[in-house]
C-alpha cells in the first residue's frame, strides 16, 4: 500500500505537546553517551542486523525533499546530505536513485563511518555531528536523517542544518519502527523497552517534535507519511537486531546474552512463530519532511 501523507501545523503540534507535558525534554548538544558507546562498539553487528529501507519509502521521501522529480528521476545537480549516516543504511538506498557524487555522508563514529566507506567507497564520508557539520553555508539542497534525529533534537542542531541548506532547502527524517499492532512484535518491543531509562531519547516518545515546535522561525510545518515494511528474519536475526540497539549493546555481556536468549525464547514459543526457522517481522517506516525558512 502507498504512503499516506499528513500535514501537522506546528501551532497545533506545539499546543498538543504542551498539553502532554509541562516540561520540555533535556536538550543535548553533544553525542549522547548511550549513542557513543552503544553504536561505536557495534558497527559490524549494526550493519548486519539492522533492516534497510524500502524503495517505496525512500523514493517518496526523496521526492518530498525535491532531489527526485515526480517521475522518480534524480534532479540534475541536486546535493543530498545524509547526516548521522551510521553505516550507510539509508545512504545505500538513496544511491539507488541518486548519483553517488551527489550524496555526502556525515557521521561522528569512526567505526560506523569506516563501515560506510567500506560498503560505499564512492560516497564522500566526513566526520562531523549535527551541531558541527563540516560543510559550507548553503551547500546542499536537502538533508536526510535516518534513525537518528531523536538523539540530537535541539535548536542548535536545527540551526546548523539550516545553515548548510540552500534557500528553500528541505530536511527529511525517517525511522523504521517495529509495528506493535502485531502481538509478537508487541511482546518483542516489551523486552526491548525495559532497558530504556527516562534520559535515553527514543523516536517513539515523540519528544523530538519539541525542536520543531520551538523553531518555527527555522523550518516550516512537518509533512508526514508511513508505509509498511516487512523484515524477513530468523530467530537469531531478530535477537541480533535487538543487540544492535544502543541501550542493549552497552549492557554487560551477561545481560546482553540474557536479552538474546529471551528474544530467542519468545520466537520459539509464540504460536505465530513456534517451530519456524524463518518468518516476517512487521515494521512500519515513518518519514517526515519540512522546508527551510
Amino acid at each position: 500500500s502507498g504512503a499516506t501523507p499528513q500535514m501537522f501545523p506546528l501551532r497545533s503540534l506545539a499546543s498538543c505537546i504542551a498539553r502532554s507535558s509541562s516540561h520540555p525534554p533535556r536538550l543535548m548538544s553533544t553525542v549522547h553517551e548511550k549513542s557513543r558507546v552503544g553504536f561505536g562498539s557495534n558497527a559490524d553487528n549494526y550493519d548486519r542486523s539492522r533492516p534497510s529501507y524500502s524503495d517505496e519509502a525512500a523514493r517518496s521521501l526523496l521526492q518530498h525533499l525535491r532531489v527526485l522529480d515526480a517521475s522518480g528521476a534524480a534532479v540534475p545537480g541536486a546535493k543530498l546530505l545524509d547526516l548521522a549516516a551510521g553505516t550507510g543504511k539509508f545512504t545505500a538506498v538513496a544511491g539507488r536513485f541518486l548519483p553517488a557524487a551527489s550524496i555526502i555522508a556525515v557521521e561522528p563514529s569512526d567505526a560506523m563511518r569506516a563501515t560506510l566507506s567500506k560498503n560505499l567507497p564512492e560516497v564522500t564520508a566526513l566526520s562531523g555531528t549535527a551541531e558541527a557539520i563540516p560543510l559550507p553555508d548553503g551547500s546542499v539542497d536537502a538533508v536526510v536523517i535516518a534513525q537518528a534525529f531523536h538523539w540530537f533534537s535541539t535548536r542548535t542542531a536545527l540551526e546548523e542544518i539550516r545553515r548548510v541548506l540552500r534557500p528553500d532547502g528541505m530536511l527529511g527524517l525517517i525511522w523504521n519502527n517495529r509495528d506493535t499492532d502485531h502481538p509478537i512484535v508487541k511482546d518483542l518491543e516489551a523486552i526491548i523497552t525495559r532497558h530504556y531509562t527516562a534520559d535515553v531519547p527514543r523516536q517513539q516518545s515523540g519528544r523530538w517534535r519539541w525542536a520543531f515546535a520551538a523553531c518555527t522561525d527555522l523550518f516550516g510545518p512537518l509533512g508526514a507519511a508511513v508505509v509498511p515494511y516487512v523484515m524477513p528474519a530468523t530467530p537469531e536475526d531478530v535477537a541480533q537486531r535487538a543487540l544492535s540497539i544502543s541501550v542493549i549493546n552497552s549492557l554487560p555481556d551477561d545481560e546482553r546474552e540474557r536479552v538474546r536468549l529471551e528474544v530467542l525464547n519468545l520466537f520459539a514459543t509464540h504460536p505465530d512463530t513456534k517451530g519456524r526457522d524463518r518468518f516476517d517481522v512487521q515494521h512500519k517506516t515513518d518519514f517526515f519532511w519540512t522546508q527551510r525558512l
Side-chain angles (χ1 to χ4, degrees):
S1 57
T4 304
Q6 299 173 303
M7 299 302 292
F8 296 95
L10 286 179
R11 183 174 299 169
S12 61
L13 174 61
S15 60
C16 176
I17 295 170
R19 287 195 301 270
S20 66
S21 173
S22 59
H23 301 286
R26 182 171 62 88
L27 299 182
M28 295 164 289
S29 59
T30 58
V31 177
H32 194 284
E33 180 68 7
K34 287 290 186 183
S35 175
R36 186 184 65 79
V37 173
F39 293 138
S41 62
N42 190 33
D44 288 342
N45 187 47
Y46 184 103
D47 191 53
R48 283 193 306 270
S49 62
R50 288 288 178 116
S52 182
Y53 300 87
S54 70
D55 281 358
E56 179 186 4
R59 182 188 300 107
S60 181
L61 178 58
L62 294 173
Q63 286 175 319
H64 284 294
L65 299 185
R66 302 174 187 165
V67 293
L68 297 183
D69 65 21
S71 72
V75 172
K79 291 282 187 182
L80 175 71
L81 167 61
D82 187 354
L83 180 60
T87 62
K89 287 289 185 177
F90 188 84
T91 322
V93 181
R96 298 206 283 264
F97 299 98
L98 298 169
S102 70
I103 303 172
I104 302 165
V106 169
E107 166 56 41
S109 164
D110 291 342
M112 296 284 238
R113 196 171 61 257
T115 301
L116 187 155
S117 292
K118 180 180 68 177
N119 293 342
L120 303 166
E122 68 280 9
V123 172
T124 299
L126 305 174
S127 177
T129 66
E131 299 85 1
I133 301 170
L135 294 176
D137 294 1
S139 55
V140 297
D141 297 279
V143 175
V144 65
I145 303 169
Q147 220 75 18
F149 183 70
H150 55 284
W151 289 109
F152 46 81
S153 55
T154 67
R155 183 177 181 91
T156 301
L158 286 178
E159 287 176 338
E160 180 70 348
I161 292 165
R162 185 182 185 277
R163 180 187 68 79
V164 302
L165 280 169
R166 292 172 182 153
D168 298 326
M170 300 295 293
L171 168 61
L173 316 174
I174 186 168
W175 286 273
N176 279 325
N177 288 311
R178 289 169 290 277
D179 188 347
T180 55
D181 287 342
H182 297 265
I184 191 168
V185 181
K186 186 176 182 179
D187 292 345
L188 173 64
E189 187 69 16
I191 294 171
I192 292 166
T193 299
R194 285 205 306 271
H195 299 280
Y196 277 88
T197 53
D199 64 325
V200 179
R202 293 196 79 186
Q203 183 268 340
Q204 293 90 337
S205 75
R207 301 177 85 191
W208 57 272
R209 295 178 184 268
W210 271 93
F212 293 101
C215 297
T216 55
D217 56 322
L218 302 180
F219 287 92
L222 281 172
V226 58
V227 298
Y229 182 69
V230 174
M231 177 183 167
T234 67
E236 187 62 38
D237 290 339
V238 181
Q240 292 301 319
R241 164 71 178 87
L243 296 184
S244 79
I245 297 169
S246 58
V247 293
I248 296 176
N249 186 62
S250 58
L251 294 171
D253 288 348
D254 60 334
E255 292 184 41
R256 292 177 70 251
E257 180 62 11
R258 279 199 291 272
V259 173
R260 175 179 168 273
L261 293 176
E262 190 173 4
V263 172
L264 291 177
N265 183 64
L266 169 65
F267 283 85
T269 58
H270 195 282
D272 290 348
T273 53
K274 184 177 181 179
R276 296 174 58 188
D277 294 332
R278 293 192 68 84
F279 39 78
D280 290 338
V281 182
Q282 304 297 325
H283 289 68
K284 56 183 180 177
T285 303
D286 295 287
F287 55 99
F288 306 82
W289 59 90
T290 179
Q291 184 172 333
R292 177 194 191 274
L293 298 178

